[in-house]
Amino acid sequence: MCGPRCAYASNSGGGVSSMRSPGVVVFYVLLVILLTMASVQYGLGRLPGDIVVDLGSFYFYVPFTTAFIVALLLGAVFWFFRR
């Protein structure tokens, strides 16, 4: 009907989909959280962009920049091994 090019044009023929499975996404998010917590524990914390509220008896810390850096590094590693 449309010739040999149709097999390459459709994504249903076993090609790599641009969507990720939910399990892979959950694994990646948990890995980012785990590595962010480990990096804060062992020296990477308190970067500019991390939110810290210290009111004596109340301490609140959200490592936005640290999590962003960890996510970029993991993305680069996964991209490198996928190639």
Side-chain angles (χ1 to χ4, degrees):
M1 190 155 141
C2 64
R5 300 182 105 180
C6 287
Y8 298 110
S10 72
N11 197 13
S12 62
V16 177
S17 174
S18 63
M19 297 293 292
R20 301 282 181 232
S21 69
V24 172
V25 172
V26 169
F27 173 75
Y28 184 75
V29 169
L30 289 176
L31 194 59
V32 167
I33 291 171
L34 177 70
L35 289 176
T36 300
M37 288 173 36
S39 66
V40 168
Q41 182 81 19
Y42 296 109
L44 188 63
R46 295 283 179 116
L47 295 174
D50 292 349
I51 296 175
V52 178
V53 177
D54 191 2
L55 302 175
S57 63
F58 178 74
Y59 185 78
F60 183 72
Y61 178 64
V62 181
F64 284 123
T65 305
T66 306
F68 183 73
I69 290 172
V70 168
L72 283 177
L73 291 174
L74 278 177
V77 167
F78 288 151
W79 175 82
F80 178 74
F81 283 116
R82 191 175 24 180
R83 290 243 156 225

